[in-house]
Amino acid sequence: MQVHISLKKVVDDSYFITIDTLPKLHFDTKVAVVTNQTVSKLHLDYLLGKISAKELHVIELKDGEEFKNQESIDAILDSLFEHRFNRKSMLIAFGGGVIGDMTGYAASIYQRGIDFIQIPTTLLSQVDASVGGKTGMNNRYGKNLVGAFHQPRAVYIDPYFLTTLPSREFGAGVAEIVKMAVTFNKDFFEFLELADLKNPQVLQEAIKQAVQTKADVVSQDEKEQGIRAALNYGHTFGHVIENETAYKEFLHGEAVAIGMVMANEVALKMNLMTHEEAHRVKMLLQKYNLPITYVIEDVKKFYEAFFLDKKSSDAAITFILPLGIGDVVISDKVDMGTIMCVLNKFGKL
Ligand code: NAD
Ligand code: GLY
């Protein structure tokens, strides 16, 4: 005996990403701004001056990737229950990618899902983390292993917030911008080669182009069944580097920068890009003081660590390899000899 449950869905989760001075925002509902201590001290008054709502609450979390965990999610949910938020209430993520991912995740599970808005305040979160609806948290098994796809209702990117960002955090965001350009947009790459991102107008244009590039990819493949995986360029190597250095030596974007250089070495071996193209990527990363090399202490251990990456199946490692500049191929068929050859190049002498 069978009962059929018909659940064909037509869902429109489209939204606008505004890159400009933050406008005034009015809500007829209860609103909670989720932020952390650092961002709160610097920018909360500015934000609160722009928001009116039926009731407005602030949930302040501790600052750091180490607090991207269940305890912080529980703190958000508890506050929502205490203030009797309902399914029409709204969350606002106000901070970097850590706050954005956790707020989105809390919104996805509170009373089976409520709306949220992203107001990202780091360059990395403005060009990458706030766009595309990936939300989540870390647990003892690894980073971002628990989460949901839950699209924000809107994203407001105000470059003004970046005026207080430490320069290393700025560089980490540039790495993700370079990632978008190398994988999808040759003209954008050439723009970046000539650009001075310290100039506010140029920076705003670069943010727009990076966001447009990511938006185009997410529109084609929201749930990462195919092309969206290309946004993990540099991450296969980068995650291992972050792990080996216990997340202390490099910011995520810095590890991704080294990872892109390593991925380019694989692409070079497979004749997918030229030495001149790989050199141009290195030069662009160096222009923003990003690291481009790393000494692998134990090549075999580094290789084995690829298999701990959740994006690789048991049998194969997925590599995102540039095809020149502006195009990309996703491959789980790179032979072990090629990979070992590249790892040995970075190995301790
Ligand atoms: P972060 O959120 O930890 O922010 C970095 C630091 O900058 C923090 O100390 C923060 O308090 C501080 N900060 C934030 N705004 C500031 C400002 N305007 N001025 C001064 N300091 C400020 O890190 P991040 O680099 O923004 O994001 C990294 C996180 O994003 C990771 O957890 C990663 O997994 C996630 N991520 C998610 C996606 C996605 O698609 N959802 C994509 C990329 C990264
Ligand atoms: N940061 C990669 C993605 O959003 O898919």
Side-chain angles (χ1 to χ4, degrees):
M1 207 186 275
Q2 277 183 323
V3 173
H4 180 244
I5 173 161
S6 177
L7 287 171
K8 270 191 195 151
K9 286 176 192 166
V10 181
V11 181
D12 187 354
D13 270 338
S14 314
Y15 53 95
F16 283 100
I17 299 157
T18 305
I19 304 158
D20 216 331
T21 303
L22 187 65
K24 291 223 180 267
L25 302 171
H26 176 74
F27 302 91
D28 295 325
T29 57
K30 293 189 186 191
V31 172
V33 173
V34 183
T35 188
N36 71 24
Q37 298 149 326
T38 310
V39 178
S40 167
K41 264 194 211 102
L42 291 166
H43 298 299
L44 188 64
D45 287 347
Y46 174 81
L47 179 74
L48 296 184
K50 300 262 183 171
I51 299 179
S52 59
K54 194 170 158 198
E55 257 180 49
L56 186 55
H57 300 273
V58 176
I59 303 170
E60 197 178 286
L61 303 173
K62 288 183 189 144
D63 182 7
E65 183 75 37
E66 66 271 37
F67 301 109
K68 191 179 172 183
N69 57 21
Q70 187 67 53
E71 215 177 300
S72 297
I73 295 295
D74 285 340
I76 300 173
L77 298 178
D78 284 354
S79 180
L80 302 182
F81 284 116
E82 276 156 24
H83 294 110
R84 297 178 179 277
F85 273 49
N86 63 29
R87 298 200 61 197
K88 293 205 166 104
S89 305
M90 171 73 78
L91 296 191
I92 296 179
F94 185 52
V98 169
I99 288 292
D101 280 10
M102 283 201 292
T103 308
Y105 179 50
S108 80
I109 55 176
Y110 184 74
Q111 297 191 355
R112 300 203 176 84
I114 62 171
D115 287 346
F116 82 114
I117 284 176
Q118 289 270 17
I119 304 184
T121 60
T122 62
L123 184 56
L124 186 142
S125 60
Q126 296 195 342
V127 297
D128 195 351
S130 65
V131 176
K134 277 190 185 175
T135 74
M137 63 169 194
N138 309 327
N139 67 10
R140 81 180 88 112
Y141 297 99
K143 275 188 70 177
N144 298 328
L145 293 181
V146 176
F149 285 96
H150 189 57
Q151 298 294 341
R153 284 285 144 247
V155 183
Y156 292 98
I157 296 174
D158 185 343
Y160 155 76
F161 294 122
L162 305 181
T163 53
T164 55
L165 198 64
S167 67
R168 270 185 77 193
E169 295 289 353
F170 186 87
V174 173
E176 302 285 4
I177 294 178
V178 172
K179 170 189 85 175
M180 314 275 184
V182 175
T183 45
F184 289 107
N185 196 331
K186 188 174 182 193
D187 290 346
F188 183 29
F189 186 88
E190 285 166 1
F191 166 87
L192 291 172
E193 284 184 305
L194 301 174
D196 173 12
L197 296 181
K198 298 284 176 204
N199 175 322
Q201 266 128 33
V202 179
L203 178 62
Q204 184 152 345
E205 177 58 27
I207 293 171
K208 194 195 101 195
Q209 293 210 37
V211 167
Q212 184 67 63
T213 306
K214 179 157 183 185
D216 291 345
V217 173
V218 172
S219 300
Q220 291 170 61
D221 177 25
E222 182 192 0
K223 301 272 169 80
E224 199 172 303
Q225 302 298 303
I227 192 67
R228 184 166 179 171
L231 295 173
N232 297 322
Y233 168 48
H235 289 59
T236 310
F237 292 98
H239 284 156
V240 179
I241 294 169
E242 282 184 288
N243 239 310
E244 281 204 340
T245 52
Y247 297 89
K248 289 195 165 59
E249 202 170 321
F250 300 105
L251 297 176
H252 173 69
E254 293 172 337
V256 167
I258 302 168
M260 290 191 278
V261 174
M262 289 179 165
N264 291 358
E265 289 292 332
V266 177
L268 280 169
K269 288 244 162 298
M270 296 170 72
N271 292 321
L272 301 175
M273 81 190 309
T274 65
H275 284 278
E276 192 252 343
E277 288 163 337
H279 181 70
R280 283 169 64 194
V281 176
K282 267 191 195 170
M283 295 299 355
L284 186 51
L285 296 171
Q286 277 190 308
K287 187 169 148 187
Y288 292 96
N289 297 321
L290 283 158
I292 54 165
T293 196
Y294 173 75
V295 178
I296 301 177
E297 293 281 332
D298 182 337
V299 167
K300 192 164 163 278
K301 206 168 131 218
F302 194 103
Y303 178 80
E304 279 161 7
F306 283 136
F307 296 95
L308 302 174
D309 185 340
K310 72 179 190 300
K311 279 150 193 140
S312 301
S313 70
D314 287 348
I317 318 160
T318 304
F319 286 97
I320 316 300
L321 303 173
L323 275 177
I325 287 173
D327 202 356
V328 67
V329 62
I330 302 169
S331 175
D332 58 5
K333 297 204 168 28
V334 182
D335 67 75
M336 190 178 162
T338 305
I339 301 167
M340 290 310 281
C341 192
V342 168
L343 295 185
N344 279 318
K345 201 172 161 182
F346 290 88
K348 203 171 180 184
L349 293 175

